[in-house]
Amino acid sequence: MAFSFLKKNQTGSDETKSLPEVLPKHVAFIMDGNGRWAKKRGMPRKYGHREGAKTFHDITRYCRSIGIKNASFYVFSTENWKRPEEEIEAIMDLLWEYLNDCDEYLEQEVRMIFIGDKSRLPERIQNRMKELEEDSKKYDKMNLILAINYGGRDEIVYAARQLAEKAAKGELDPGEITEEMISDHLYTREIPDVDLMIRPSGELRLSNFLIWQCAYAEYYFTDVLWPDFARSELNKALNDFAGRGRRFGGI
Ligand code: IPE
Ligand code: IPE
Ligand code: MG
């Protein structure tokens, strides 16, 4: 089954003309504003999630085509369980639908990596995630990182527990724990730190997304709501990033 839609805001074939020469190695997206997008149209929130999922599909394809090596997307946070059950169910159903329509990523040699605590997710979703990770692990054109039941603090706790277990077994001296070792025990262990973090919808916060990995990220905020986030919006963010002076504490 292939997606048979074209985003209304998709630009023409010359869309890549305005791209900068140097691209970030890792771009992260907080896909926010779906609910407000629907509300503005007098529609239920789940309608906004469906539109947001279409944007997700289009932006992932675009990232792959322009040569972004690592693209992360915040799909569902550890805090999102606070939402009404009906909305959570709609999001899980949509997720299930999309996880069953990933052939194109595999054809495009995209590796899919799921980060977050999978254990709280419905079993069929957990199984599908494992299958996709397994089927795509040989690919290296782009890492598509999907954060589902993900929380940055939860991830650091997960890393701390693994290191503590090793220390308890005598395999590790606590005094010798390094930043690198912590990075190596995060869900993102194989992924470089975030270079560019993009948050649409006008909110100016991380909401617990990749907090360790964003220590030296550049941030790009826009008022555009995620369902309206077109390829041209990503071009703007990439150009903005290209003009930033990154010093990492140096001069
Ligand atoms: C982001 O959109 C999607 C998820 C958190 C799953 P929201 O649902 O948070 O949309 P707003 O912020 O209420 O507009
Ligand atoms: C962040 O958006 C989570 C995802 C996009 C999955 P939220 O809408 O949950 O964040 P807050 O509540 O505005 O911080
Ligand atoms: Mg939100």
Side-chain angles (χ1 to χ4, degrees):
M1 172 172 74
F3 281 99
S4 55
F5 57 79
L6 191 65
K7 287 294 289 188
K8 57 199 166 308
N9 47 12
Q10 203 164 306
T11 51
S13 58
D14 60 351
E15 65 200 358
T16 56
K17 266 191 199 152
S18 56
L19 278 175
E21 260 175 47
V22 182
L23 293 174
K25 283 198 196 78
H26 185 176
V27 185
F29 297 86
I30 300 180
M31 303 191 282
D32 197 21
N34 295 346
R36 278 164 282 172
W37 188 93
K39 194 173 170 208
K40 266 173 48 183
R41 289 159 179 78
M43 305 292 282
R45 292 178 59 85
K46 64 179 180 191
Y47 182 73
H49 294 310
R50 185 158 285 280
E51 278 306 301
K54 291 182 192 171
T55 299
F56 161 79
H57 188 246
D58 186 53
I59 293 293
T60 53
R61 281 159 65 211
Y62 188 53
C63 286
R64 167 69 180 81
S65 71
I66 63 178
I68 301 283
K69 285 293 172 195
N70 299 276
S72 299
F73 292 83
Y74 208 2
V75 177
F76 193 85
S77 77
T78 47
E79 287 71 38
N80 287 147
W81 297 106
K82 292 179 197 154
R83 296 190 178 202
E85 209 170 303
E86 193 196 334
E87 180 169 346
I88 295 175
E89 259 173 43
I91 293 171
M92 292 299 155
D93 286 349
L94 197 54
L95 184 57
W96 176 244
E97 204 180 296
Y98 268 69
L99 289 178
N100 283 294
D101 198 7
C102 290
D103 289 356
E104 194 182 327
Y105 297 126
L106 302 179
E107 281 157 22
Q108 292 284 316
E109 301 188 6
V110 170
R111 179 171 180 195
M112 299 182 74
I113 296 173
F114 295 93
I115 60 170
D117 177 4
K118 298 184 175 87
S119 68
R120 196 173 164 183
L121 298 169
E123 212 175 301
R124 60 180 181 155
I125 290 188
Q126 289 186 42
N127 292 339
R128 186 72 190 124
M129 281 157 66
K130 272 183 218 139
E131 266 170 29
L132 287 167
E133 280 186 327
E134 196 52 37
D135 291 350
S136 68
K137 72 175 182 208
K138 55 186 177 293
Y139 298 137
D140 64 357
K141 293 288 188 297
M142 177 174 94
N143 289 320
L144 174 59
I145 300 121
L146 301 178
I148 305 174
N149 191 25
Y150 173 90
R153 288 186 169 185
D154 178 69
E155 180 181 39
I156 292 169
V157 169
Y158 164 78
R161 285 198 182 128
Q162 292 172 77
L163 291 169
E165 272 170 30
K166 286 183 188 171
K169 283 190 209 150
E171 292 168 9
L172 175 74
D173 174 359
E176 300 203 329
I177 294 175
T178 60
E179 290 185 10
E180 203 184 359
M181 282 163 77
I182 295 182
S183 293
D184 285 346
H185 287 81
L186 298 174
Y187 296 126
T188 52
R189 63 186 75 81
E190 297 159 276
I191 311 296
D193 281 349
V194 176
D195 295 304
L196 175 61
M197 168 62 73
I198 298 177
R199 181 162 194 160
S201 92
E203 309 298 353
L204 308 178
R205 54 178 174 262
L206 267 185
S207 301
N208 205 10
F209 192 36
L210 300 172
I211 53 176
W212 173 278
Q213 299 85 342
C214 278
Y216 263 105
E218 296 296 325
Y219 293 84
Y220 182 86
F221 296 104
T222 166
D223 287 339
V224 170
L225 301 173
W226 176 254
D228 291 329
F229 192 90
R231 295 175 176 206
S232 54
E233 297 295 334
L234 179 52
N235 286 356
K236 275 190 227 164
L238 293 170
N239 277 298
D240 196 280
F241 173 84
R244 306 254 183 119
R246 301 183 84 193
R247 287 182 288 281
F248 299 98
I251 53 170

